[in-house]
Amino acid sequence: MNDHPLSSNVAICKGCADYANRADVEALVLQAIEILHLSESFITPGDHVVIKPNWVKEHDERHPQPGNWEHVVTHPSVIEAVADWVASRLNGSGEITICDAPQTDSSFDKIREYCKLDEMIERLCSKHPKISISLLDLRPEEWHGVDGITVSKKKLPGDPLGSTHLHLDEASEFYQFKGLGKLFGASVDVDETNRKHADSNHEYLLCRTPMDADVFINIPKMKTHKKVGITCALKNLVGINANKNWLPHHTEGTPDRGGDQFPTSTTKAKLEHSWMGAAKRWMVKCPLLARVFVPIKSVGRLFFGDTQSVVRSGNWYGNDTCWRMVLDLNKGFFYFNGAAQPRVKPLRYLTIVDGIIGGEGNGPMSPDPVHSGLIIAGTHPLAVDCAVARCVGFDWNRIRMLRNAFEIRQLNFVGFKPEDMTYQSSVDAPPQPLEKMNPFFYFRAHFGWKGAIELSPQFEKAPIRGSNN
């Protein structure tokens, strides 16, 4: 079915540790692409190429200011280098769409302003006048939040091609999951999330533009993640969703009650779960109560603690929910087209990771910058993510999103074994086993994951909880 087989080999290139010189960034990107030895037919004239960056937020949540975003989102110089390479392959005929569905409470206008995306598009269009190059916010609506509480919503045009409604059902990683009925998605409307994931019914709504692309190029940011350990190629597909409340992020409740919302079954955790559950139900019934709840939440923070330092909402290594959603999205993308029919055309897929400035610690919204100088590329997202984990000093086998991808029951999109993963750092160098690569860095994990996933012997290993059920 696929004339462009997905490879378990990954290119890892180290160079400039900032974005000051666009030519240096472009050279590093092209070096990584060259190592992969992509065929001439990978991109051909007339193709529609979709480029998917990671525009999760317009700034570091702790310090919302114009210059504080380079470690949070995919940098425009990396996007531009990739788009320029694509346009050269299209040879005057084709279309490039650069698109994402950022976190719903992000401001796309601010992202465009801070990252100077319109200037980037103008340069690309001027250099390649025969290629249609566009920028697209895939979201159907944008939320305005105050202290994490959604107080208003604005309708947006969304994906001009519409959406793809997928029923994974028994092929879903949520099939027979013990947390069904207690899933939490992207908003206080938990009933909607649990209607889409009940018994043998498991649904997702994906944006059709990326689903219908001839070539899909994933450009994630290299960061830690509070719910799945790291965010890179696999997790970046959250940004092709038309309704993020269909995406389960954690299972409500304490561990003794089958939940992964909190790491321990303390009295305070049970009280917070009960209190927050009641508040969510009231806000669904009466959305106007959201503004009233903002100062109440501030008071509650004094008693329950701030999320920047207290583990809640599934922000820890025991989250047995979010990884299932991530793998489901990748199944849907690899196996189905925009009409929700099985793919018959080859899926041409490429990941190029922006690790020039990575993010460690409290990712993905409030990480600390690490000037890593890395561009990591590959044609299979799992191999890329495992390589990224190794590069930053994490044990991919202790990150269940990665470990369990090798054990998928149905719609398995992997096709190789862990020992098949290799890496190259130059065109002439032979592929080397990934497991023999020394880490470039030892990133600090999110505090909810500390001690659970690090390769460094300085960390005492925490037990792995949950399993691939």
Side-chain angles (χ1 to χ4, degrees):
M1 184 180 81
N2 198 337
D3 296 334
H4 304 274
L6 303 176
S7 172
S8 58
N9 188 45
V10 178
I12 302 175
C13 299
K14 198 170 191 308
C16 54
D18 59 39
Y19 307 98
N21 190 321
R22 206 158 56 230
D24 290 344
V25 173
E26 181 179 17
L28 198 58
V29 168
L30 293 179
Q31 180 187 353
I33 293 173
E34 186 181 5
I35 290 172
L36 298 178
H37 297 291
L38 299 173
S39 70
E40 288 296 320
S41 61
F42 185 79
I43 295 175
T44 57
D47 280 340
H48 179 197
V49 181
V50 169
I51 296 176
K52 163 67 175 74
N54 178 209
W55 286 328
V56 65
K57 201 73 172 177
E58 68 271 19
H59 50 64
D60 187 322
E61 282 193 331
R62 299 164 299 178
H63 309 290
Q65 54 195 19
N68 202 30
W69 53 268
E70 288 190 334
H71 59 296
V72 179
V73 301
T74 306
H75 199 276
S77 61
V78 178
I79 301 169
E80 186 168 355
V82 173
D84 191 43
W85 171 76
V86 169
S88 69
R89 287 286 190 108
L90 290 174
N91 196 26
S93 174
E95 181 179 358
I96 299 173
T97 302
I98 303 171
C99 60
D100 192 15
Q103 183 163 310
T104 321
D105 62 353
S106 300
S107 168
F108 197 74
D109 289 340
K110 286 294 184 184
I111 293 172
R112 293 173 74 150
E113 176 189 348
Y114 291 176
C115 299
K116 295 182 170 58
L117 297 181
D118 293 319
E119 290 94 325
M120 178 192 74
I121 296 295
E122 287 177 9
R123 284 193 299 271
L124 288 167
C125 289
S126 176
K127 188 174 181 180
H128 307 281
K130 295 183 179 180
I131 305 294
S132 173
I133 304 174
S134 60
L135 187 66
L136 178 61
D137 181 358
L138 294 170
R139 298 174 302 172
E141 60 183 17
E142 182 175 294
W143 300 350
H144 174 59
V146 178
D147 197 12
I149 305 298
T150 301
V151 297
S152 63
K153 298 181 180 182
K154 178 177 70 174
K155 292 293 182 182
L156 300 174
D159 190 335
L161 297 185
S163 57
T164 302
H165 189 170
L166 291 181
H167 272 270
L168 293 188
D169 298 339
E170 293 185 6
S172 168
E173 294 300 303
F174 285 103
Y175 180 60
Q176 296 183 336
F177 176 49
K178 65 182 184 302
L180 297 182
K182 299 181 292 183
L183 302 175
F184 186 86
S187 80
V188 294
D189 188 1
V190 295
D191 288 342
E192 179 183 37
T193 309
N194 285 284
R195 283 196 304 271
K196 300 303 174 183
H197 298 277
D199 300 321
S200 60
N201 178 73
H202 298 285
E203 306 172 54
Y204 294 92
L205 196 66
L206 306 183
C207 302
R208 186 156 183 172
T209 290
M211 296 291 289
D212 272 344
D214 296 308
V215 183
F216 182 79
I217 302 182
N218 191 356
I219 318 184
K221 191 72 170 177
M222 186 174 77
K223 296 182 292 185
T224 54
H225 196 283
K226 57 190 176 183
K227 296 188 191 299
V228 290
I230 64 166
T231 174
C232 212
L234 291 169
K235 182 66 171 59
N236 205 32
L237 282 201
V238 168
I240 66 166
N241 280 270
N243 190 326
K244 294 191 179 182
N245 203 35
W246 292 22
L247 307 181
H249 284 73
H250 69 262
T251 300
E252 295 201 287
T254 51
D256 64 329
R257 297 178 180 178
D260 55 28
Q261 182 179 4
F262 306 96
T264 55
S265 303
T266 64
T267 300
K268 184 179 284 190
K270 292 176 181 178
L271 179 61
E272 181 178 349
H273 172 239
S274 176
W275 180 70
M276 283 298 297
K280 291 169 189 173
R281 288 190 293 273
W282 279 108
M283 282 189 282
V284 170
K285 292 178 182 178
C286 183
L288 293 176
L289 285 177
R291 289 190 178 274
V292 177
F293 186 68
V294 172
I296 297 176
K297 182 180 179 181
S298 299
V299 175
R301 187 182 293 116
L302 297 175
F303 178 72
F304 294 114
D306 190 277
T307 303
Q308 294 289 337
S309 57
V310 174
V311 177
R312 59 166 60 87
S313 303
N315 299 339
W316 66 299
Y317 69 88
N319 187 318
D320 198 28
T321 306
C322 196
W323 68 266
R324 299 173 187 272
M325 172 266 288
V326 173
L327 295 189
D328 272 3
L329 292 178
N330 282 269
K331 288 181 182 184
F333 184 72
F334 274 92
Y335 274 90
F336 300 97
N337 61 22
Q341 298 298 316
R343 290 188 181 274
V344 293
K345 293 183 178 180
L347 174 61
R348 288 173 275 168
Y349 181 105
L350 175 64
T351 290
I352 301 172
V353 181
D354 175 9
I356 292 177
I357 299 182
E360 68 174 359
N362 199 6
M365 307 300 181
S366 306
D368 295 315
V370 180
H371 290 256
S372 317
L374 291 174
I375 291 290
I376 302 167
T379 58
H380 198 289
L382 178 58
V384 168
D385 281 9
C386 289
V388 167
R390 186 93 186 171
C391 284
V392 302
F394 293 161
D395 183 351
W396 67 261
N397 197 42
R398 298 183 67 84
I399 300 173
R400 60 167 60 82
M401 177 180 68
L402 307 183
R403 181 186 73 244
N404 290 346
F406 288 103
E407 302 172 6
I408 290 174
R409 297 175 297 102
Q410 295 188 45
L411 301 182
N412 190 326
F413 62 92
V414 178
F416 56 87
K417 298 177 181 179
E419 56 268 26
D420 297 330
M421 292 189 292
T422 57
Y423 76 98
Q424 289 177 262
S425 296
S426 70
V427 175
D428 299 326
Q432 299 293 322
L434 182 62
E435 290 302 297
K436 292 187 177 181
M437 185 187 78
N438 292 322
F440 287 87
F441 302 92
Y442 286 99
F443 274 29
R444 284 185 299 104
H446 180 275
F447 62 86
W449 292 71
K450 184 178 180 181
I453 59 176
E454 297 90 345
L455 280 169
S456 174
Q458 73 186 77
F459 294 99
E460 181 182 351
K461 297 297 183 185
I464 297 178
R465 301 193 181 188
S467 60
N468 187 4
N469 295 321

